[in-house]
Amino acid sequence: MDQRHLANSKRIAKNTGYLYIRLLVVTVINLVMARVILRALGFEDFGIYNVVGSMVVLFGFLSIALRSASVRYLAVELGKADNAQLDKVFSMVINCHAILVGCLWVLVEAVGLWFINFHMQLDPSRLTAANWAFQFSTLTFLVSVLQAPFDSNIVAHEQMNFYATISIVESLLKLLIAYLVLISSWDKLITFSALLFAASLVICSVYVLYNRLHLQDSHYIRHWDKTLVVQFVNYSGWSLFVNAADTGVLQLRTAFFDVFLGTIANAALGIANQVFNAVTMVFGNFSAAFSPQIVKSYAAGDKDYFMHLIFTTSKVSFFLFL
């Protein structure tokens, strides 16, 4: 293995370390935050927020699939060291996410408002608060979709130290929000949703600023390429079905809990989901560290190093998961 390959392998190891530090810290913060939020909102409002959130992210599988394609195609151009094409791909990633935001906004508003106002089991006095929470949650979700291209670009560039740091900061910010809601005298459900939206704007701005200042080999230009759109869709095809099934099971279960068991049972499900999300983070961390380098080595035509990464990371993944 030459010096370049050795440097790349060391980068993967360092990035894995960054991501596992992130995993440990974020997991602990999220579990503590679940307790604080439950205390701040109470069982009923916590259950309402869990249902509202499930309606918002029901169509999140579309964003997940597009993000996966974004990381892949950005990593390919980085592997080829073609900055002109990288600008085009980066621009198309942003364009596609902007179009997706418009489509998601229509879908979420149509389905969410219908369910909340006509089928959700809650105290009528909390209906207004539930609608406000839904709107703020929708905006938070749409901001996260707009953030995805810049997030993908950071992952493709393997800047995991920043990625891990901002994730920890975001979790601490949410914990602070939970505490502010706990001591607030305003409607806690509306306050919590509004502050989460404000936090999402701050985090998204940080991602955009980092891309502009530190990833100067990729710029947004006015460009449209129908061929790239087709490639994104084709690449996302199978993962789209998988993500749709996973998201549908998780989010529709919340809706069924509300219809048949009520908001108190949904509060319990919300706590269980916090634990589930903490566990599933383990499986995404290591793949985020090595996937970009595998794609880059393949795009650069370095087949020997590509196969070395496939076998090595498969073995390491097995032992880490074990």
Side-chain angles (χ1 to χ4, degrees):
M1 186 182 297
D2 59 29
Q3 291 299 317
R4 180 172 59 86
H5 291 160
L6 185 61
N8 288 337
S9 297
K10 287 182 178 179
R11 185 184 303 117
I12 292 174
K14 286 170 59 178
N15 286 339
T16 301
Y18 290 136
L19 291 175
Y20 266 86
I21 292 172
R22 166 186 176 267
L23 170 68
L24 293 173
V25 175
V26 171
T27 298
V28 171
I29 293 174
N30 284 347
L31 293 177
V32 172
M33 183 174 66
R35 183 183 181 91
V36 177
I37 292 173
L38 181 60
R39 183 181 173 189
L41 297 181
F43 285 108
E44 183 174 5
D45 277 359
F46 186 80
I48 292 172
Y49 187 79
N50 193 43
V51 178
V52 166
S54 71
M55 290 295 101
V56 170
V57 301
L58 182 60
F59 300 98
F61 65 90
L62 296 169
S63 175
I64 295 171
L66 182 55
R67 183 186 182 280
S68 176
S70 301
V71 173
R72 188 266 183 190
Y73 280 92
L74 288 168
V76 165
E77 300 309 326
L78 286 168
K80 293 179 180 178
D82 187 345
N83 286 349
Q85 186 63 19
L86 178 61
D87 284 346
K88 293 178 181 178
V89 171
F90 181 59
S91 301
M92 282 305 301
V93 166
I94 294 176
N95 291 338
C96 288
H97 277 86
I99 293 171
L100 181 61
V101 163
C103 297
L104 286 173
W105 180 74
V106 174
L107 287 171
V108 170
E109 288 286 338
V111 175
L113 288 176
W114 165 76
F115 181 82
I116 291 170
N117 288 285
F118 296 102
H119 293 282
M120 190 171 173
Q121 304 298 315
L122 78 165
D123 187 331
S125 65
R126 302 302 296 152
L127 183 60
T128 300
N131 275 281
W132 275 105
F134 171 75
Q135 294 301 332
F136 281 123
S137 297
T138 300
L139 292 173
T140 302
F141 172 62
L142 296 180
V143 169
S144 73
V145 177
L146 287 175
Q147 176 186 301
F150 306 98
D151 181 306
S152 301
N153 201 29
I154 290 170
V155 172
H157 280 82
E158 301 178 83
Q159 299 293 309
M160 300 304 176
N161 52 344
F162 171 80
Y163 184 72
T165 301
I166 195 64
S167 296
I168 293 172
V169 170
E170 183 177 7
S171 294
L172 289 172
L173 192 58
K174 290 179 179 178
L175 183 60
L176 175 62
I177 288 172
Y179 175 73
L180 291 176
V181 173
L182 183 64
I183 62 176
S184 172
S185 58
W186 298 333
D187 187 289
K188 295 185 183 298
L189 180 58
I190 298 176
T191 303
F192 180 62
S193 305
L195 289 177
L196 283 181
F197 169 58
S200 71
L201 289 176
V202 172
I203 296 298
C204 183
S205 299
V206 172
Y207 271 98
V208 174
L209 187 61
Y210 185 87
N211 272 262
R212 289 178 63 88
L213 296 179
H214 296 281
L215 306 180
Q216 298 182 357
D217 56 352
S218 51
H219 307 85
Y220 180 78
I221 57 176
R222 295 184 64 181
H223 176 73
W224 181 260
D225 188 342
K226 185 172 67 174
T227 303
L228 275 176
V229 177
V230 173
Q231 290 177 1
F232 289 164
V233 172
N234 289 339
Y235 180 83
S236 303
W238 287 108
S239 63
L240 188 68
F241 287 116
V242 174
N243 291 326
D246 288 344
T247 304
V249 168
L250 289 174
Q251 306 309 325
L252 290 177
R253 181 175 59 186
T254 304
F256 291 150
F257 260 62
D258 181 75
V259 171
F260 295 107
L261 300 175
T263 54
I264 301 299
N266 244 314
L269 180 62
I271 296 171
N273 285 337
Q274 292 283 343
V275 178
F276 173 79
N277 292 334
V279 173
T280 53
M281 279 181 64
V282 175
F283 298 95
N285 269 266
F286 187 57
S287 63
F290 66 73
S291 293
Q293 193 56 237
I294 289 177
V295 175
K296 289 177 185 178
S297 62
Y298 184 83
D302 194 349
K303 300 297 178 61
D304 290 337
Y305 185 58
F306 168 76
M307 294 306 299
H308 169 76
L309 285 177
I310 291 291
F311 288 120
T312 303
T313 53
S314 296
K315 293 174 183 176
V316 174
S317 297
F318 173 80
F319 288 111
L320 283 174
F321 294 159
L322 181 65

